[in-house]
Amino acid sequence: RDLLPFSTPCRTLKLPLDEFSAFACNEKYLLVEEDSNLRLLDRHLTVFKQMVWPHERIWDITWSPSMTRFYLVTEKEIYSLDQNTMAVNKCPISGNGEWYRAACTDSALFLSTQGLGPTIYESKLPPSSK
């Protein structure tokens, strides 16, 4: 009955009507894509840092604890984002699909494609620099 006994939300953030916003979090921040902007929000959902997103639509975002960076998934490219500098770098990832979703462990980045017969790809991440 109470599989997920969540408490009442203590904060809310309204997003534009009819728009899917990709988001992911780490221990300190919530990264949200909204209105062609990337916003790094603190624990109070206050904008800490912000930048214009000049690339195609973001389908998904994931956090890599070992690489200490966010990975952003667009249909054709994968980007990494450094939360400290907000520097964005294109990742050289091979694959023949239209990227759709992502997930990370300490040692791997998983990417899935969309469409008929989707595929999940696993890319090994370098050992942690921590």
Side-chain angles (χ1 to χ4, degrees):
R1 184 186 248 192
D2 290 322
L3 294 176
L4 300 172
F6 294 125
S7 64
T8 303
C10 57
R11 288 176 208 52
T12 58
L13 175 67
K14 290 283 188 188
L15 298 172
L17 189 62
D18 295 333
E19 184 179 311
F20 170 79
S21 295
F23 63 95
C25 65
N26 62 17
E27 313 81 37
K28 288 178 73 174
Y29 301 109
L30 174 67
L31 180 65
V32 178
E33 181 270 327
E34 177 185 8
D35 293 330
S36 297
N37 290 290
L38 286 176
R39 295 189 173 109
L40 203 55
L41 307 175
D42 65 16
R43 294 192 184 275
H44 303 287
L45 299 181
T46 303
V47 176
F48 178 70
K49 291 182 182 180
Q50 178 174 301
M51 67 175 282
V52 173
W53 178 251
H55 307 288
E56 62 187 274
R57 179 179 177 204
I58 297 172
W59 288 106
D60 202 9
I61 303 173
T62 190
W63 169 254
S64 169
S66 62
M67 300 301 291
T68 61
R69 61 189 58 243
F70 289 98
Y71 286 97
L72 301 96
V73 177
T74 69
E75 186 176 18
K76 300 293 179 195
E77 303 290 344
I78 309 300
Y79 298 89
S80 68
L81 173 84
D82 182 301
Q83 69 178 1
N84 298 316
T85 64
M86 296 296 279
V88 175
N89 294 302
K90 191 183 330 183
C91 298
I93 294 189
S94 60
N96 297 355
E98 295 178 346
W99 300 119
Y100 189 54
R101 296 285 184 235
C104 256
T105 65
D106 283 340
S107 60
L109 172 65
F110 295 91
L111 298 166
S112 74
T113 58
Q114 60 181 334
L116 214 50
T119 303
I120 297 175
Y121 294 86
E122 177 184 5
S123 295
K124 297 290 184 191
L125 295 172
S128 174
S129 59
K130 291 181 182 178

mmCIF file of all heavy atoms in Angstrom, residues 78-125:
data_model
loop_
_atom_site.group_PDB
_atom_site.id
_atom_site.type_symbol
_atom_site.label_atom_id
_atom_site.label_comp_id
_atom_site.label_asym_id
_atom_site.label_seq_id
_atom_site.Cartn_x
_atom_site.Cartn_y
_atom_site.Cartn_z
ATOM 1 N N ILE A 78 26.260 13.494 -27.361
ATOM 2 C CA ILE A 78 26.340 13.411 -25.903
ATOM 3 C C ILE A 78 27.335 14.481 -25.472
ATOM 4 O O ILE A 78 28.411 14.613 -26.059
ATOM 5 C CB ILE A 78 26.844 12.024 -25.429
ATOM 6 C CG1 ILE A 78 26.042 10.892 -26.083
ATOM 7 C CG2 ILE A 78 26.807 11.934 -23.909
ATOM 8 C CD1 ILE A 78 24.561 10.900 -25.812
ATOM 9 N N TYR A 79 26.972 15.251 -24.449
ATOM 10 C CA TYR A 79 27.835 16.319 -23.949
ATOM 11 C C TYR A 79 28.104 16.089 -22.468
ATOM 12 O O TYR A 79 27.279 15.502 -21.762
ATOM 13 C CB TYR A 79 27.161 17.688 -24.104
ATOM 14 C CG TYR A 79 26.877 18.066 -25.531
ATOM 15 C CD1 TYR A 79 25.685 17.716 -26.141
ATOM 16 C CD2 TYR A 79 27.810 18.787 -26.265
ATOM 17 C CE1 TYR A 79 25.425 18.076 -27.458
ATOM 18 C CE2 TYR A 79 27.553 19.151 -27.586
ATOM 19 C CZ TYR A 79 26.355 18.784 -28.173
ATOM 20 O OH TYR A 79 26.102 19.135 -29.476
ATOM 21 N N SER A 80 29.249 16.588 -21.993
ATOM 22 C CA SER A 80 29.517 16.591 -20.559
ATOM 23 C C SER A 80 29.500 18.040 -20.093
ATOM 24 O O SER A 80 29.836 18.950 -20.844
ATOM 25 C CB SER A 80 30.855 15.927 -20.240
ATOM 26 O OG SER A 80 31.918 16.713 -20.736
ATOM 27 N N LEU A 81 29.086 18.240 -18.850
ATOM 28 C CA LEU A 81 29.009 19.573 -18.266
ATOM 29 C C LEU A 81 29.707 19.563 -16.923
ATOM 30 O O LEU A 81 29.380 18.753 -16.048
ATOM 31 C CB LEU A 81 27.550 19.993 -18.077
ATOM 32 C CG LEU A 81 27.357 21.299 -17.309
ATOM 33 C CD1 LEU A 81 27.494 22.487 -18.245
ATOM 34 C CD2 LEU A 81 26.025 21.341 -16.605
ATOM 35 N N ASP A 82 30.672 20.447 -16.750
ATOM 36 C CA ASP A 82 31.361 20.632 -15.479
ATOM 37 C C ASP A 82 30.538 21.597 -14.635
ATOM 38 O O ASP A 82 30.315 22.737 -15.051
ATOM 39 C CB ASP A 82 32.762 21.185 -15.735
ATOM 40 C CG ASP A 82 33.563 21.352 -14.462
ATOM 41 O OD1 ASP A 82 33.110 22.110 -13.574
ATOM 42 O OD2 ASP A 82 34.641 20.758 -14.361
ATOM 43 N N GLN A 83 30.077 21.168 -13.482
ATOM 44 C CA GLN A 83 29.207 22.009 -12.650
ATOM 45 C C GLN A 83 29.922 23.232 -12.092
ATOM 46 O O GLN A 83 29.286 24.226 -11.784
ATOM 47 C CB GLN A 83 28.616 21.199 -11.506
ATOM 48 C CG GLN A 83 29.651 20.790 -10.474
ATOM 49 C CD GLN A 83 29.068 20.045 -9.317
ATOM 50 O OE1 GLN A 83 27.880 19.786 -9.247
ATOM 51 N NE2 GLN A 83 29.916 19.687 -8.370
ATOM 52 N N ASN A 84 31.229 23.181 -11.956
ATOM 53 C CA ASN A 84 31.974 24.310 -11.390
ATOM 54 C C ASN A 84 32.168 25.438 -12.399
ATOM 55 O O ASN A 84 32.043 26.607 -12.067
ATOM 56 C CB ASN A 84 33.327 23.851 -10.849
ATOM 57 C CG ASN A 84 33.155 22.856 -9.721
ATOM 58 O OD1 ASN A 84 32.342 23.030 -8.839
ATOM 59 N ND2 ASN A 84 33.908 21.773 -9.786
ATOM 60 N N THR A 85 32.477 25.065 -13.635
ATOM 61 C CA THR A 85 32.768 26.064 -14.653
ATOM 62 C C THR A 85 31.639 26.247 -15.661
ATOM 63 O O THR A 85 31.667 27.189 -16.444
ATOM 64 C CB THR A 85 34.036 25.679 -15.428
ATOM 65 O OG1 THR A 85 33.770 24.448 -16.127
ATOM 66 C CG2 THR A 85 35.228 25.510 -14.499
ATOM 67 N N MET A 86 30.681 25.320 -15.680
ATOM 68 C CA MET A 86 29.601 25.266 -16.663
ATOM 69 C C MET A 86 30.162 25.069 -18.073
ATOM 70 O O MET A 86 29.526 25.386 -19.064
ATOM 71 C CB MET A 86 28.714 26.511 -16.606
ATOM 72 C CG MET A 86 27.966 26.667 -15.285
ATOM 73 S SD MET A 86 26.770 25.349 -14.944
ATOM 74 C CE MET A 86 25.375 25.861 -15.922
ATOM 75 N N ALA A 87 31.382 24.515 -18.166
ATOM 76 C CA ALA A 87 31.977 24.205 -19.464
ATOM 77 C C ALA A 87 31.321 22.962 -20.043
ATOM 78 O O ALA A 87 31.134 21.962 -19.346
ATOM 79 C CB ALA A 87 33.480 23.986 -19.314
ATOM 80 N N VAL A 88 30.972 23.045 -21.316
ATOM 81 C CA VAL A 88 30.317 21.949 -22.026
ATOM 82 C C VAL A 88 31.293 21.393 -23.054
ATOM 83 O O VAL A 88 31.908 22.150 -23.802
ATOM 84 C CB VAL A 88 29.036 22.435 -22.731
ATOM 85 C CG1 VAL A 88 28.422 21.335 -23.573
ATOM 86 C CG2 VAL A 88 28.030 22.962 -21.719
ATOM 87 N N ASN A 89 31.420 20.059 -23.077
ATOM 88 C CA ASN A 89 32.278 19.395 -24.053
ATOM 89 C C ASN A 89 31.512 18.282 -24.735
ATOM 90 O O ASN A 89 30.789 17.533 -24.076
ATOM 91 C CB ASN A 89 33.514 18.795 -23.376
ATOM 92 C CG ASN A 89 34.425 19.859 -22.821
ATOM 93 O OD1 ASN A 89 34.882 20.720 -23.552
ATOM 94 N ND2 ASN A 89 34.648 19.829 -21.530
ATOM 95 N N LYS A 90 31.698 18.170 -26.062
ATOM 96 C CA LYS A 90 31.084 17.078 -26.796
ATOM 97 C C LYS A 90 31.863 15.805 -26.509
ATOM 98 O O LYS A 90 33.090 15.815 -26.510
ATOM 99 C CB LYS A 90 31.088 17.367 -28.292
ATOM 100 C CG LYS A 90 30.221 16.393 -29.060
ATOM 101 C CD LYS A 90 30.189 16.530 -30.561
ATOM 102 C CE LYS A 90 30.381 17.853 -31.160
ATOM 103 N NZ LYS A 90 30.257 17.813 -32.633
ATOM 104 N N CYS A 91 31.165 14.714 -26.248
ATOM 105 C CA CYS A 91 31.813 13.433 -25.945
ATOM 106 C C CYS A 91 31.948 12.606 -27.220
ATOM 107 O O CYS A 91 30.981 12.453 -27.964
ATOM 108 C CB CYS A 91 30.988 12.640 -24.930
ATOM 109 S SG CYS A 91 30.802 13.457 -23.359
ATOM 110 N N PRO A 92 33.123 12.059 -27.458
ATOM 111 C CA PRO A 92 33.314 11.213 -28.641
ATOM 112 C C PRO A 92 32.793 9.802 -28.378
ATOM 113 O O PRO A 92 33.540 8.913 -27.977
ATOM 114 C CB PRO A 92 34.831 11.228 -28.830
ATOM 115 C CG PRO A 92 35.363 11.430 -27.440
ATOM 116 C CD PRO A 92 34.354 12.265 -26.714
ATOM 117 N N ILE A 93 31.500 9.620 -28.577
ATOM 118 C CA ILE A 93 30.885 8.310 -28.330
ATOM 119 C C ILE A 93 30.379 7.758 -29.650
ATOM 120 O O ILE A 93 29.680 8.442 -30.390
ATOM 121 C CB ILE A 93 29.732 8.429 -27.319
ATOM 122 C CG1 ILE A 93 30.305 8.845 -25.972
ATOM 123 C CG2 ILE A 93 28.934 7.141 -27.233
ATOM 124 C CD1 ILE A 93 29.360 8.801 -24.822
ATOM 125 N N SER A 94 30.766 6.510 -29.936
ATOM 126 C CA SER A 94 30.324 5.895 -31.184
ATOM 127 C C SER A 94 29.004 5.173 -30.960
ATOM 128 O O SER A 94 28.697 4.720 -29.871
ATOM 129 C CB SER A 94 31.383 4.928 -31.704
ATOM 130 O OG SER A 94 31.600 3.924 -30.741
ATOM 131 N N GLY A 95 28.230 5.097 -31.984
ATOM 132 C CA GLY A 95 26.938 4.429 -31.949
ATOM 133 C C GLY A 95 26.133 4.894 -33.147
ATOM 134 O O GLY A 95 26.348 5.983 -33.658
ATOM 135 N N ASN A 96 25.222 4.079 -33.571
ATOM 136 C CA ASN A 96 24.470 4.398 -34.784
ATOM 137 C C ASN A 96 23.027 4.764 -34.496
ATOM 138 O O ASN A 96 22.200 4.670 -35.377
ATOM 139 C CB ASN A 96 24.485 3.197 -35.736
ATOM 140 C CG ASN A 96 25.870 2.870 -36.207
ATOM 141 O OD1 ASN A 96 26.813 3.578 -35.900
ATOM 142 N ND2 ASN A 96 26.005 1.811 -36.967
ATOM 143 N N GLY A 97 22.732 5.184 -33.284
ATOM 144 C CA GLY A 97 21.338 5.408 -32.980
ATOM 145 C C GLY A 97 20.976 6.839 -32.755
ATOM 146 O O GLY A 97 21.804 7.741 -32.817
ATOM 147 N N GLU A 98 19.719 7.043 -32.537
ATOM 148 C CA GLU A 98 19.218 8.328 -32.090
ATOM 149 C C GLU A 98 19.163 8.232 -30.577
ATOM 150 O O GLU A 98 18.349 7.511 -30.012
ATOM 151 C CB GLU A 98 17.839 8.590 -32.683
ATOM 152 C CG GLU A 98 17.860 8.732 -34.184
ATOM 153 C CD GLU A 98 16.471 8.945 -34.761
ATOM 154 O OE1 GLU A 98 15.468 8.735 -34.052
ATOM 155 O OE2 GLU A 98 16.398 9.314 -35.943
ATOM 156 N N TRP A 99 20.049 8.938 -29.899
ATOM 157 C CA TRP A 99 20.170 8.839 -28.444
ATOM 158 C C TRP A 99 18.876 9.292 -27.771
ATOM 159 O O TRP A 99 18.177 10.171 -28.262
ATOM 160 C CB TRP A 99 21.346 9.667 -27.954
ATOM 161 C CG TRP A 99 22.659 9.239 -28.527
ATOM 162 C CD1 TRP A 99 23.496 9.992 -29.288
ATOM 163 C CD2 TRP A 99 23.271 7.956 -28.404
ATOM 164 N NE1 TRP A 99 24.601 9.254 -29.641
ATOM 165 C CE2 TRP A 99 24.488 8.000 -29.115
ATOM 166 C CE3 TRP A 99 22.912 6.764 -27.776
ATOM 167 C CZ2 TRP A 99 25.344 6.908 -29.207
ATOM 168 C CZ3 TRP A 99 23.766 5.675 -27.863
ATOM 169 C CH2 TRP A 99 24.956 5.753 -28.567
ATOM 170 N N TYR A 100 18.601 8.691 -26.621
ATOM 171 C CA TYR A 100 17.339 8.983 -25.950
ATOM 172 C C TYR A 100 17.485 9.123 -24.438
ATOM 173 O O TYR A 100 17.079 10.109 -23.867
ATOM 174 C CB TYR A 100 16.323 7.891 -26.302
ATOM 175 C CG TYR A 100 14.923 8.180 -25.846
ATOM 176 C CD1 TYR A 100 14.288 9.369 -26.206
ATOM 177 C CD2 TYR A 100 14.223 7.271 -25.071
ATOM 178 C CE1 TYR A 100 12.993 9.639 -25.791
ATOM 179 C CE2 TYR A 100 12.935 7.534 -24.666
ATOM 180 C CZ TYR A 100 12.323 8.717 -25.024
ATOM 181 O OH TYR A 100 11.050 8.973 -24.612
ATOM 182 N N ARG A 101 18.053 8.134 -23.767
ATOM 183 C CA ARG A 101 18.152 8.144 -22.313
ATOM 184 C C ARG A 101 19.558 7.771 -21.866
ATOM 185 O O ARG A 101 20.332 7.186 -22.624
ATOM 186 C CB ARG A 101 17.157 7.152 -21.694
ATOM 187 C CG ARG A 101 15.716 7.502 -21.951
ATOM 188 C CD ARG A 101 15.298 8.671 -21.076
ATOM 189 N NE ARG A 101 13.897 8.960 -21.253
ATOM 190 C CZ ARG A 101 13.422 10.149 -21.593
ATOM 191 N NH1 ARG A 101 14.225 11.147 -21.805
ATOM 192 N NH2 ARG A 101 12.140 10.335 -21.748
ATOM 193 N N ALA A 102 19.856 8.112 -20.574
ATOM 194 C CA ALA A 102 21.184 7.820 -20.028
ATOM 195 C C ALA A 102 21.077 7.477 -18.549
ATOM 196 O O ALA A 102 20.138 7.892 -17.868
ATOM 197 C CB ALA A 102 22.099 9.028 -20.203
ATOM 198 N N ALA A 103 22.048 6.728 -18.079
ATOM 199 C CA ALA A 103 22.197 6.409 -16.652
ATOM 200 C C ALA A 103 23.675 6.158 -16.403
ATOM 201 O O ALA A 103 24.407 5.767 -17.314
ATOM 202 C CB ALA A 103 21.378 5.183 -16.273
ATOM 203 N N CYS A 104 24.108 6.404 -15.167
ATOM 204 C CA CYS A 104 25.524 6.249 -14.825
ATOM 205 C C CYS A 104 25.696 5.402 -13.582
ATOM 206 O O CYS A 104 24.866 5.444 -12.672
ATOM 207 C CB CYS A 104 26.143 7.617 -14.530
ATOM 208 S SG CYS A 104 27.164 8.238 -15.836
ATOM 209 N N THR A 105 26.791 4.660 -13.557
ATOM 210 C CA THR A 105 27.278 4.032 -12.336
ATOM 211 C C THR A 105 28.657 4.639 -12.093
ATOM 212 O O THR A 105 29.087 5.520 -12.844
ATOM 213 C CB THR A 105 27.407 2.502 -12.484
ATOM 214 O OG1 THR A 105 28.424 2.229 -13.459
ATOM 215 C CG2 THR A 105 26.093 1.859 -12.907
ATOM 216 N N ASP A 106 29.368 4.156 -11.102
ATOM 217 C CA ASP A 106 30.723 4.660 -10.860
ATOM 218 C C ASP A 106 31.677 4.331 -11.999
ATOM 219 O O ASP A 106 32.658 5.027 -12.218
ATOM 220 C CB ASP A 106 31.286 4.069 -9.560
ATOM 221 C CG ASP A 106 30.700 4.748 -8.337
ATOM 222 O OD1 ASP A 106 30.178 5.874 -8.458
ATOM 223 O OD2 ASP A 106 30.761 4.147 -7.251
ATOM 224 N N SER A 107 31.373 3.273 -12.743
ATOM 225 C CA SER A 107 32.331 2.829 -13.756
ATOM 226 C C SER A 107 31.814 2.840 -15.194
ATOM 227 O O SER A 107 32.573 2.560 -16.109
ATOM 228 C CB SER A 107 32.802 1.405 -13.417
ATOM 229 O OG SER A 107 31.691 0.535 -13.396
ATOM 230 N N ALA A 108 30.537 3.168 -15.400
ATOM 231 C CA ALA A 108 30.007 3.093 -16.765
ATOM 232 C C ALA A 108 28.924 4.142 -17.014
ATOM 233 O O ALA A 108 28.215 4.554 -16.104
ATOM 234 C CB ALA A 108 29.436 1.706 -17.029
ATOM 235 N N LEU A 109 28.838 4.529 -18.282
ATOM 236 C CA LEU A 109 27.758 5.382 -18.774
ATOM 237 C C LEU A 109 26.916 4.514 -19.693
ATOM 238 O O LEU A 109 27.444 3.896 -20.624
ATOM 239 C CB LEU A 109 28.331 6.576 -19.549
ATOM 240 C CG LEU A 109 27.329 7.458 -20.291
ATOM 241 C CD1 LEU A 109 26.390 8.168 -19.317
ATOM 242 C CD2 LEU A 109 28.066 8.479 -21.165
ATOM 243 N N PHE A 110 25.615 4.443 -19.430
ATOM 244 C CA PHE A 110 24.694 3.678 -20.246
ATOM 245 C C PHE A 110 23.867 4.648 -21.070
ATOM 246 O O PHE A 110 23.323 5.619 -20.528
ATOM 247 C CB PHE A 110 23.774 2.822 -19.381
ATOM 248 C CG PHE A 110 24.493 1.753 -18.623
ATOM 249 C CD1 PHE A 110 24.969 1.999 -17.347
ATOM 250 C CD2 PHE A 110 24.703 0.507 -19.181
ATOM 251 C CE1 PHE A 110 25.648 1.020 -16.634
ATOM 252 C CE2 PHE A 110 25.380 -0.488 -18.482
ATOM 253 C CZ PHE A 110 25.854 -0.222 -17.201
ATOM 254 N N LEU A 111 23.769 4.399 -22.375
ATOM 255 C CA LEU A 111 22.985 5.227 -23.277
ATOM 256 C C LEU A 111 22.025 4.342 -24.049
ATOM 257 O O LEU A 111 22.405 3.254 -24.486
ATOM 258 C CB LEU A 111 23.891 5.952 -24.267
ATOM 259 C CG LEU A 111 24.893 6.929 -23.674
ATOM 260 C CD1 LEU A 111 25.938 7.311 -24.703
ATOM 261 C CD2 LEU A 111 24.173 8.156 -23.152
ATOM 262 N N SER A 112 20.801 4.801 -24.212
ATOM 263 C CA SER A 112 19.848 4.038 -25.008
ATOM 264 C C SER A 112 19.436 4.842 -26.225
ATOM 265 O O SER A 112 19.514 6.075 -26.243
ATOM 266 C CB SER A 112 18.611 3.659 -24.187
ATOM 267 O OG SER A 112 17.793 4.785 -23.984
ATOM 268 N N THR A 113 19.000 4.109 -27.243
ATOM 269 C CA THR A 113 18.478 4.736 -28.449
ATOM 270 C C THR A 113 16.953 4.674 -28.386
ATOM 271 O O THR A 113 16.379 3.981 -27.541
ATOM 272 C CB THR A 113 18.963 4.005 -29.709
ATOM 273 O OG1 THR A 113 18.542 2.634 -29.638
ATOM 274 C CG2 THR A 113 20.472 4.067 -29.834
ATOM 275 N N GLN A 114 16.331 5.420 -29.289
ATOM 276 C CA GLN A 114 14.875 5.383 -29.367
ATOM 277 C C GLN A 114 14.470 4.801 -30.704
ATOM 278 O O GLN A 114 15.297 4.580 -31.572
ATOM 279 C CB GLN A 114 14.306 6.780 -29.184
ATOM 280 C CG GLN A 114 14.761 7.793 -30.207
ATOM 281 C CD GLN A 114 14.173 9.157 -29.936
ATOM 282 O OE1 GLN A 114 13.120 9.290 -29.345
ATOM 283 N NE2 GLN A 114 14.869 10.184 -30.375
ATOM 284 N N GLY A 115 13.201 4.549 -30.861
ATOM 285 C CA GLY A 115 12.692 4.048 -32.130
ATOM 286 C C GLY A 115 12.484 2.548 -32.090
ATOM 287 O O GLY A 115 12.492 1.920 -31.040
ATOM 288 N N LEU A 116 12.313 1.981 -33.271
ATOM 289 C CA LEU A 116 12.060 0.559 -33.410
ATOM 290 C C LEU A 116 13.304 -0.238 -33.041
ATOM 291 O O LEU A 116 14.384 0.021 -33.551
ATOM 292 C CB LEU A 116 11.674 0.273 -34.860
ATOM 293 C CG LEU A 116 10.661 -0.840 -35.122
ATOM 294 C CD1 LEU A 116 9.432 -0.686 -34.262
ATOM 295 C CD2 LEU A 116 10.292 -0.868 -36.578
ATOM 296 N N GLY A 117 13.192 -1.161 -32.123
ATOM 297 C CA GLY A 117 14.338 -1.966 -31.704
ATOM 298 C C GLY A 117 15.399 -1.161 -30.993
ATOM 299 O O GLY A 117 16.555 -1.153 -31.421
ATOM 300 N N PRO A 118 15.035 -0.453 -29.907
ATOM 301 C CA PRO A 118 16.036 0.358 -29.204
ATOM 302 C C PRO A 118 17.174 -0.504 -28.661
ATOM 303 O O PRO A 118 17.024 -1.700 -28.438
ATOM 304 C CB PRO A 118 15.247 1.009 -28.073
ATOM 305 C CG PRO A 118 14.029 0.181 -27.912
ATOM 306 C CD PRO A 118 13.749 -0.464 -29.235
ATOM 307 N N THR A 119 18.313 0.137 -28.464
ATOM 308 C CA THR A 119 19.519 -0.538 -27.992
ATOM 309 C C THR A 119 20.079 0.216 -26.803
ATOM 310 O O THR A 119 19.976 1.437 -26.736
ATOM 311 C CB THR A 119 20.577 -0.557 -29.120
ATOM 312 O OG1 THR A 119 20.020 -1.193 -30.267
ATOM 313 C CG2 THR A 119 21.834 -1.293 -28.700
ATOM 314 N N ILE A 120 20.677 -0.506 -25.870
ATOM 315 C CA ILE A 120 21.394 0.109 -24.754
ATOM 316 C C ILE A 120 22.881 -0.133 -24.968
ATOM 317 O O ILE A 120 23.307 -1.264 -25.188
ATOM 318 C CB ILE A 120 20.947 -0.474 -23.394
ATOM 319 C CG1 ILE A 120 19.477 -0.165 -23.146
ATOM 320 C CG2 ILE A 120 21.821 0.080 -22.262
ATOM 321 C CD1 ILE A 120 18.902 -0.802 -21.896
ATOM 322 N N TYR A 121 23.661 0.945 -24.921
ATOM 323 C CA TYR A 121 25.111 0.887 -25.061
ATOM 324 C C TYR A 121 25.746 1.159 -23.703
ATOM 325 O O TYR A 121 25.264 1.999 -22.954
ATOM 326 C CB TYR A 121 25.616 1.960 -26.041
ATOM 327 C CG TYR A 121 25.182 1.758 -27.463
ATOM 328 C CD1 TYR A 121 23.961 2.239 -27.910
ATOM 329 C CD2 TYR A 121 26.011 1.105 -28.376
ATOM 330 C CE1 TYR A 121 23.561 2.065 -29.230
ATOM 331 C CE2 TYR A 121 25.625 0.935 -29.694
ATOM 332 C CZ TYR A 121 24.394 1.418 -30.109
ATOM 333 O OH TYR A 121 24.014 1.254 -31.418
ATOM 334 N N GLU A 122 26.829 0.456 -23.415
ATOM 335 C CA GLU A 122 27.593 0.702 -22.197
ATOM 336 C C GLU A 122 28.973 1.211 -22.586
ATOM 337 O O GLU A 122 29.672 0.596 -23.385
ATOM 338 C CB GLU A 122 27.738 -0.584 -21.376
ATOM 339 C CG GLU A 122 28.583 -0.400 -20.140
ATOM 340 C CD GLU A 122 28.822 -1.693 -19.353
ATOM 341 O OE1 GLU A 122 28.397 -2.760 -19.840
ATOM 342 O OE2 GLU A 122 29.440 -1.610 -18.293
ATOM 343 N N SER A 123 29.359 2.355 -22.014
ATOM 344 C CA SER A 123 30.693 2.903 -22.234
ATOM 345 C C SER A 123 31.409 2.932 -20.894
ATOM 346 O O SER A 123 30.893 3.490 -19.928
ATOM 347 C CB SER A 123 30.624 4.326 -22.784
ATOM 348 O OG SER A 123 30.046 4.325 -24.055
ATOM 349 N N LYS A 124 32.578 2.331 -20.836
ATOM 350 C CA LYS A 124 33.360 2.326 -19.606
ATOM 351 C C LYS A 124 33.898 3.724 -19.333
ATOM 352 O O LYS A 124 34.348 4.416 -20.240
ATOM 353 C CB LYS A 124 34.529 1.342 -19.692
ATOM 354 C CG LYS A 124 34.096 -0.099 -19.854
ATOM 355 C CD LYS A 124 33.448 -0.629 -18.603
ATOM 356 C CE LYS A 124 33.128 -2.105 -18.769
ATOM 357 N NZ LYS A 124 32.290 -2.596 -17.704
ATOM 358 N N LEU A 125 33.842 4.140 -18.080
ATOM 359 C CA LEU A 125 34.399 5.417 -17.674
ATOM 360 C C LEU A 125 35.785 5.176 -17.073
ATOM 361 O O LEU A 125 36.039 4.122 -16.477
ATOM 362 C CB LEU A 125 33.500 6.086 -16.622
ATOM 363 C CG LEU A 125 32.103 6.475 -17.123
ATOM 364 C CD1 LEU A 125 31.245 6.941 -15.962
ATOM 365 C CD2 LEU A 125 32.191 7.544 -18.190
#
